[in-house]
Amino acid sequence: MGSIAGSKKLKRQMAPTFWGINRKEKRFVITVRPGSHPKSNSIPSAVLLRDTLKKVKTLREAKSSIYGGKIKVDGVIRKSLHHSIGLMDVIELEGITDVYRLVPNNGHLLESIKINTSEKSKKLVQVKSKTTTKGGKMQLGFHDGRTIITDINANISDTCLLQIPEQKILDVIKFEKNSQVIVTRGINAGRIGTINEIKQGTFTLPKRINLLIDDKMIEIPADITMVVGKEKPIIQIRWSNVSTNSKFNEKNFA
């Protein structure tokens, strides 16, 4: 009987470039099981550990670490090799002091950056859906698949600053003129600019924004951007002078 959950592997030649894998090794690589993030916009935990972060050398070591509960995503232990890790997710590894966040950077859909440990409990999530529940409260659906019922007022395309893993909304950043946004896909992925104008969509055209980036105005679809702050990003989404002297104990981790 075939698996009802789909294939667990993918040809290396078909894997997204942002995974960082060597395409001339074995024929197949572990694939993503769609869940919190879309399959095309995420990295499986085993690949992240071995090929992106390069904290283990083999799939066998990655399995030992993941099944041993040594990797946390957004403060929650994940024991699946295929767990989808994507935009703004925070990754912690047992035995390593470094904390990572996945962000778009230099035209790449996802890239891991080291962040200050003080920010490991903070995450930006974009509002993708909004419905009213019984009792008049709002149920917000976010880009990473999570939903929260709250009294806080937020609209689609706004961004919420979450405290993880408690899922407490700390702040709401409105998608409006003069807000700072990061481009999440396309050739400008990772670039940060200021919204100059928001153009509502039509029957044939999606919602668009005029974005000022480095004194240059460009027009792009609103759905490939994410608001990250007012005058500057509210949390770290760029490399900084975080210490690279991580206390890594390979024996304890792998």
Side-chain angles (χ1 to χ4, degrees):
M1 180 181 292
S3 171
I4 63 173
S7 177
K8 296 181 180 180
K9 59 186 179 181
L10 176 73
K11 286 186 178 179
R12 284 178 174 262
Q13 295 295 333
M14 303 297 292
T17 56
F18 62 85
W19 284 15
I21 64 173
N22 188 334
R23 296 171 184 272
K24 295 186 179 293
E25 291 184 355
K26 296 180 180 179
R27 186 179 183 185
F28 294 100
V29 66
I30 277 182
T31 191
V32 173
R33 287 286 176 81
S36 54
H37 295 276
K39 188 174 183 177
S40 60
N41 297 342
S42 57
I43 306 174
S45 53
V47 171
L48 179 82
L49 210 56
R50 183 190 62 188
D51 302 291
T52 308
L53 298 180
K54 301 186 186 302
K55 295 302 183 183
V56 296
K57 295 181 180 179
T58 64
L59 180 59
R60 186 173 183 175
E61 290 178 351
K63 287 181 178 179
S64 175
S65 301
I66 294 169
Y67 291 155
K70 296 180 180 180
I71 179 170
K72 286 184 179 181
V73 181
D74 293 342
V76 178
I77 293 175
R78 299 296 183 182
K79 293 188 177 182
S80 170
L81 304 178
H82 309 276
H83 180 75
S84 57
I85 304 177
L87 180 65
M88 296 297 169
D89 282 356
V90 177
I91 299 98
E92 300 174 70
L93 307 173
E94 184 178 307
I96 302 178
T97 57
D98 290 335
V99 181
Y100 299 89
R101 177 177 286 127
L102 289 187
V103 297
N105 193 30
N106 293 328
H108 297 288
L109 190 68
L110 293 174
E111 192 171 292
S112 59
I113 62 168
K114 292 178 184 177
I115 62 173
N116 293 304
T117 54
S118 61
E119 289 201 353
K120 70 179 183 180
S121 62
K122 296 178 181 178
K123 179 183 180 180
L124 292 178
V125 287
Q126 188 176 41
V127 180
K128 291 294 187 179
S129 66
K130 176 182 178 181
T131 56
T132 304
T133 64
K134 187 176 181 179
K137 291 192 175 183
M138 301 304 303
Q139 177 174 293
L140 303 178
F142 300 110
H143 81 275
D144 62 353
R146 75 181 76 216
T147 59
I148 295 177
I149 296 177
T150 178
D151 294 320
I152 295 175
N153 183 34
N155 297 317
I156 292 176
S157 296
D158 289 349
T159 295
C160 294
L161 177 64
L162 285 189
Q163 179 175 311
I164 51 177
E166 296 84 0
Q167 297 201 141
K168 178 182 178 182
I169 298 178
L170 302 176
D171 197 5
V172 177
I173 312 166
K174 294 294 183 180
F175 187 84
E176 60 188 9
K177 185 177 179 180
N178 297 325
S179 291
Q180 294 277 304
V181 300
I182 186 170
V183 182
T184 57
R185 300 196 305 275
I187 60 174
N188 291 305
R191 300 184 72 183
I192 297 175
T194 304
I195 297 176
N196 184 67
E197 182 184 0
I198 299 175
K199 297 182 178 180
Q200 297 303 317
T202 66
F203 183 76
T204 57
L205 289 175
K207 184 178 180 179
R208 305 169 320 282
I209 60 173
N210 285 340
L211 192 62
L212 181 63
I213 302 179
D214 298 330
D215 297 324
K216 181 180 179 181
M217 192 72 68
I218 63 173
E219 181 177 296
I220 60 176
D223 63 356
I224 65 168
T225 64
M226 181 181 191
V227 61
V228 293
K230 292 301 293 181
E231 297 179 356
K232 63 180 182 179
I234 197 171
I235 61 171
Q236 183 187 340
I237 54 175
R238 284 284 181 270
W239 280 94
S240 68
N241 296 324
V242 178
S243 174
T244 56
N245 298 321
S246 61
K247 298 177 181 178
F248 175 50
N249 188 328
E250 185 173 351
K251 184 177 180 181
N252 289 339
F253 178 65

